Amino acid sequence: MTNYEQAKERYAAFGIDTEAALEQLRQKPISIHCWQGDDVAGFDQVDGKAGDGIQTTGNYPGKARNFEELKADFLKAASMIPGKKRINLHASYAVFPEGEWADRDKIEYRHFAPWVEFAKENGFGIDFNPTCFSHPMVKDGLTLSHPDEAVRRFWIDHCKATRRIAQQIGEALGDQVLNNVWVPDGFKDIPADRMGPRMRLKASLDEVFAEKYPNVIDCVESKVFGIGLESMTVGSNEFYTAYAATHPGVYNLLDAGHYHPTEYISDKIPAMLCFFDKVPLHVTRPVRWDSDHVVLFDDEIKEIMKEVVRNDALDKVLIGLDFFDASINRIAAWVLGTRSAQKALLFALLQPNDALKTMQDEMRFTEKLVRMEEARTLPLDAVWSEYCRRQNVPEDGAWFGLVQQYEADVLSKRG
Ligand code: RNT
Ligand code: ZN
């Protein structure tokens, strides 16, 4: 008997069908953020660098410097990641023809058509984002909520452009494209007016979302604070939850790093599922704050995936990743973070979810705790390895060597 066959029997004894779990895992796409490949630098600014409410730390050698390198690195990572993949693009990754450039309020679909070609060639989906940071038009830490109409206009036009582009990407791929609005807007010190900026953000968003696009899923992403913006964030959780609740077709994206350190999005997912038919996520690993460390197979990721699985929300929860560690090999970061998220999803699919629910409803709390704990150490590894084999990607223990080889052959030559 193989390890997998043995594991299959162990799980069957708990009433769990490993084949059904593997099939569900295979069907669930993960949206992989392009920005892990170059520390959120993008292509549209000279010497582009993360800034204005967002930052990366570390300077591990070999980061992608252009479209060709980023595509090559993404493909390398994708070759070691099982399952369906989407590429999550930021507007700052526009690909301009030689000698051409357009500012963010003027970008067009054709600047992203090369990404669509890349996605088609490799069977990836695409998701999209306006880039309302790392740009000189972020004034005083503000964009869509700035008191100056000209600043707001620039960012409204940018966000509108991204929705048009997302629609065209969706048409080209015959798919729905998530377009996520995150703005850094906030204040370093105690604000004298909290509601004014929020009313301006609300009015800006109303303009941004005025047009209906059938291939676009719109969402807004809140945050608790940013570096240099410690005292107030205009787009807070309450603000965007209420905005989404009152604007059909706009969803509230939950980023695991955007809440107080003892607040967990695993608890927010089922709350949102009571009211929304879609819940987009940014899965990341906050260490003390929104540090965007690489996702690991830790307790919170398991809890997040359990909420997705046991609420039958695999089609409702859109799983996107959002981490960027510039201090380690970026390909390894992509592969490790994505595989850990997928492994956690498999873990959740392999829990005796229905039996545990019944125990809770029947107040058999002691038994629930015992069974929950026992199920945690069932032989997940054997099922995960089987999945990797069936998907023709390396098993754990085998992929890091390939990353090291790529570093020696390609990354180390980038200077
Ligand atoms: C920033 C938000 C946002 C970005 C990406 C690059 O705190 O999490 O989602 O990380 O859009
Ligand atoms: Zn995020």
Side-chain angles (χ1 to χ4, degrees):
M1 245 214 268
T2 65
N3 284 347
Y4 173 66
E5 283 160 354
Q6 275 175 11
K8 193 174 170 177
E9 284 191 2
R10 286 272 287 130
Y11 278 105
F14 269 75
I16 300 160
D17 179 352
T18 55
E19 287 297 323
L22 287 178
E23 183 52 24
Q24 284 182 293
L25 182 62
R26 194 176 70 80
Q27 295 292 343
K28 180 64 185 165
I30 305 285
S31 194
I32 306 174
H33 52 313
C34 73
W35 53 90
Q36 165 60 64
D38 72 340
D39 313 337
V40 210
F43 307 148
D44 72 340
Q45 304 292 306
V46 181
D47 295 326
K49 197 170 168 301
D52 304 309
I54 190 163
Q55 73 174 51
T56 54
T57 50
N59 56 355
Y60 197 85
K63 79 167 180 186
R65 295 164 300 182
N66 53 49
F67 182 45
E68 293 308 317
E69 290 179 355
L70 190 58
K71 276 194 298 183
D73 292 359
F74 190 87
L75 270 188
K76 186 70 198 175
S79 73
M80 294 176 268
I81 296 169
K84 291 191 181 166
K85 294 168 268 287
R86 305 175 66 80
I87 175 160
N88 200 0
L89 286 182
H90 247 284
S92 53
Y93 291 82
V95 181
F96 298 114
E98 193 65 37
E100 205 188 295
W101 182 79
D103 210 347
R104 291 194 191 157
D105 57 337
K106 302 269 169 12
I107 47 171
E108 295 174 27
Y109 171 73
R110 61 195 177 86
H111 302 134
F112 297 89
W115 280 112
V116 172
E117 284 319 303
F118 175 67
K120 275 188 183 163
E121 276 162 31
N122 295 286
F124 303 142
I126 293 185
D127 292 305
F128 205 50
N129 305 259
T131 311
C132 303
F133 52 83
S134 311
H135 190 284
M137 277 304 277
V138 180
K139 302 283 190 199
D140 322 289
L142 302 172
T143 64
L144 291 176
S145 73
H146 201 287
D148 181 346
E149 149 77 19
V151 176
R152 291 202 305 280
R153 179 58 40 209
F154 179 85
W155 292 109
I156 290 168
D157 287 346
H158 173 56
C159 291
K160 287 169 84 170
T162 62
R163 293 185 68 239
R164 283 194 299 270
I165 293 164
Q167 170 62 25
Q168 286 172 279
I169 294 173
E171 285 168 17
L173 296 175
D175 196 10
Q176 297 277 110
V177 172
L178 185 72
N179 194 53
N180 172 43
V181 176
W182 173 72
V183 296
D185 299 36
F187 295 94
K188 183 180 173 73
D189 222 321
I190 309 167
D193 177 17
R194 290 185 162 91
M195 189 165 163
R198 288 189 170 131
M199 288 305 285
R200 288 193 291 270
L201 177 56
K202 181 169 173 252
S204 294
L205 292 173
D206 286 349
E207 273 197 58
V208 167
F209 296 125
E211 212 71 50
K212 295 290 163 228
Y213 292 115
N215 293 70
V216 179
I217 302 169
D218 288 297
C219 66
V220 284
E221 177 183 7
S222 74
K223 189 160 173 167
V224 64
F225 83 97
I227 293 278
L229 305 165
E230 289 87 357
S231 292
M232 178 199 160
T233 295
V234 181
S236 60
N237 181 46
E238 291 73 15
F239 176 89
Y240 282 135
T241 306
Y243 190 90
T246 50
H247 293 75
V250 179
Y251 296 92
N252 187 34
L253 180 145
L254 305 173
D255 181 308
H258 288 192
Y259 299 88
H260 291 286
T262 55
E263 238 183 304
Y264 293 105
I265 67 161
S266 51
D267 186 65
K268 299 179 191 297
I269 293 167
M272 301 300 284
L273 284 171
C274 295
F275 299 94
F276 293 94
D277 64 345
K278 288 189 183 64
V279 181
L281 303 183
H282 271 183
V283 175
T284 185
R285 181 167 54 103
V287 177
R288 302 193 186 280
W289 74 291
D290 184 31
S291 63
D292 292 299
H293 280 68
V294 176
V295 169
L296 298 179
F297 185 65
D298 64 7
D299 281 350
E300 171 58 1
I301 184 89
K302 282 187 253 184
E303 226 37 52
I304 289 171
M305 296 305 182
K306 281 200 264 180
E307 290 302 332
V308 175
V309 169
R310 60 194 178 191
N311 298 311
D312 285 328
L314 278 161
D315 293 332
K316 296 179 182 168
V317 178
L318 310 176
I319 303 176
L321 307 175
D322 184 14
F323 51 80
F324 30 97
D325 191 336
S327 74
I328 59 176
N329 180 300
R330 295 171 187 81
I331 318 283
W334 256 327
V335 178
L336 182 61
T338 312
R339 287 172 65 116
S340 296
Q342 293 172 322
K343 204 182 277 180
L345 181 55
L346 179 61
F347 172 85
L349 288 162
L350 292 172
Q351 296 304 292
N353 295 308
D354 292 339
L356 293 170
K357 238 181 235 181
T358 304
M359 288 172 209
Q360 175 173 315
D361 287 346
E362 294 176 355
M363 310 302 156
R364 290 148 59 198
F365 296 140
T366 315
E367 188 181 357
K368 184 206 65 188
L369 198 60
V370 171
R371 296 290 172 238
M372 217 178 221
E373 188 64 1
E374 287 172 352
R376 278 162 74 90
T377 48
L378 286 170
L380 175 71
D381 179 60
V383 185
W384 171 253
S385 295
E386 177 69 12
Y387 181 58
C388 291
R389 271 195 295 279
R390 292 184 190 181
Q391 286 277 318
N392 290 313
V393 300
E395 292 169 43
D396 287 4
W399 64 262
F400 185 58
L402 303 174
V403 174
Q404 287 176 305
Q405 192 60 51
Y406 187 73
E407 176 163 299
D409 295 345
V410 180
L411 303 180
S412 67
K413 310 241 156 78
R414 283 183 189 164

